[in-house]
Amino acid sequence: MTHPAGPVPADRSDLAEAGRMLLRTVLPVGIVLGLALAVYGGTGHDLTIVLQDRFPEDSEYSGLFTIMFSSALMVCAGIALGSLVVSRAWARSTGDAGAASPALRAGLAVAVLCVFLGFDDMMMVHDAVLPGAGIPEDVGLAAYALLGLVLIAWAFRPLLAERLGLTFLAGLALLGGSLGGDVLESLFEEDHPAIASALGHAEDVVKFLAYVALCHLCVLLARRIMARTLAAATEKAAREAVERSGRSPGVTTTGSGRVPLRVTPGRHAAPTGAMPTVTADADLTRPIPTPGPRG
């Protein structure tokens, strides 16, 4: 079953959905990002400027990609939340649960996770805000990890029902790779600064690709939610149209609930209200004869 708003649901396996996300979204963005960094670095600029967090005193380009990808993450989360609002409003106003699905719960959990990640990265909450308020960075990271696990546990079962479990895990794996690169960077920072710098650049790129994967997931969930809501609305409108036709004065219906064919009154028309009949031996291949001129 398909709908103009998209598949309801997509007829693909969990593995196919994950592969589709990696090939159609993550890989193209990774190629464009790599080319942009190659051009920027090839002109003698320091990649750290555009990949690091926002430090305006360093350069006007400081934190450029952090701002871009964090903003995209929160925008896509807003798209998912908007679809949830529309679907919930439809269900409340009509009492129709036809649009309800695991995608609602999964969309809410993934959207909250994306807003959380994007806001923290852009505003440097765990890097600067919490330490500035007297909260050690390790404590903030531990709290973040706990909250992240809660959101993942909340989202994972409905995502499995939507055949998006591997897609979600792929995004989380990229996030985990980013965290691992951050740890390795700190280990090499004192003794091997060149290696630490390369690891830091790689860690940032992997983090941005994780954001891209989560953006894909948010938009895909929003599309499914809206497709189901529109399908439910279309079916409801069709049922109501049939019911109104059946209740109209002077309109009779057949046993199947269909409105019988009527012929416009005229010289060669059947009497008003009469139903055309066809005998069993009638030749339906003959053309309808054209009336001759009046005498």
Side-chain angles (χ1 to χ4, degrees):
M1 179 179 177
T2 60
H3 191 273
V8 190
D11 188 17
R12 286 185 290 269
S13 67
D14 205 335
L15 181 60
E17 284 287 5
R20 184 183 179 88
M21 180 266 291
L22 293 173
L23 290 176
R24 292 198 172 191
T25 305
V26 175
L27 181 60
V29 173
I31 292 174
V32 173
L33 180 59
L35 291 175
L37 292 175
V39 171
Y40 187 80
T43 55
H45 294 85
D46 185 4
L47 294 181
T48 306
I49 296 295
V50 293
L51 292 175
Q52 69 182 2
D53 293 326
R54 179 67 173 159
F55 294 104
E57 62 275 9
D58 291 346
S59 169
E60 64 272 21
Y61 299 109
S62 176
L64 175 63
F65 287 113
T66 295
I67 295 173
M68 288 176 55
F69 283 94
S70 297
S71 299
L73 192 64
M74 290 191 285
V75 167
C76 292
I79 293 173
L81 291 174
S83 69
L84 291 172
V85 171
V86 172
S87 182
R88 293 290 189 184
W90 165 262
R92 285 196 302 268
S93 62
T94 62
D96 187 358
S101 71
L104 292 170
R105 178 178 163 190
L108 180 59
V110 173
V112 171
L113 178 62
C114 290
V115 171
F116 173 74
L117 290 172
F119 183 80
D120 173 76
D121 202 13
M122 185 181 296
M123 303 305 296
M124 301 176 61
V125 176
H126 78 276
D127 293 312
V129 175
L130 293 182
I135 301 175
E137 184 175 353
D138 292 339
V139 175
L141 289 175
Y144 275 32
L146 180 60
L147 179 59
L149 289 174
V150 170
L151 289 173
I152 292 169
W154 184 28
F156 197 66
R157 181 173 293 181
L159 283 170
L160 282 178
E162 289 289 328
R163 289 172 289 179
L164 294 173
L166 287 178
T167 304
F168 187 47
L169 287 178
L172 294 180
L174 290 170
L175 279 178
S178 173
L179 292 175
D182 197 8
V183 173
L184 290 176
E185 179 187 4
S186 62
L187 292 177
F188 286 99
E189 193 168 8
E190 293 184 2
D191 299 331
H192 302 85
I195 296 177
S197 178
L199 288 172
H201 295 163
E203 177 264 322
D204 287 325
V205 170
V206 172
K207 177 183 67 175
F208 296 146
L209 294 181
Y211 288 1
V212 170
L214 292 175
C215 285
H216 176 100
L217 188 57
C218 281
V219 173
L220 181 58
L221 287 169
R223 188 183 181 195
R224 289 191 180 185
I225 292 167
M226 288 303 301
R228 288 168 184 156
T229 304
L230 290 173
T234 303
E235 292 171 3
K236 180 177 175 63
R239 289 195 305 267
E240 291 177 349
V242 171
E243 292 171 359
R244 284 195 300 270
S245 299
R247 291 195 301 265
S248 298
V251 177
T252 58
T253 58
T254 62
S256 63
R258 297 178 177 177
V259 179
L261 174 67
R262 290 185 179 276
V263 182
T264 304
R267 181 183 175 201
H268 302 287
T272 303
M275 295 180 59
T277 57
V278 179
T279 58
D281 58 348
D283 185 2
L284 301 180
T285 63
R286 291 188 308 162
I288 299 176
T290 303
R294 295 185 179 182

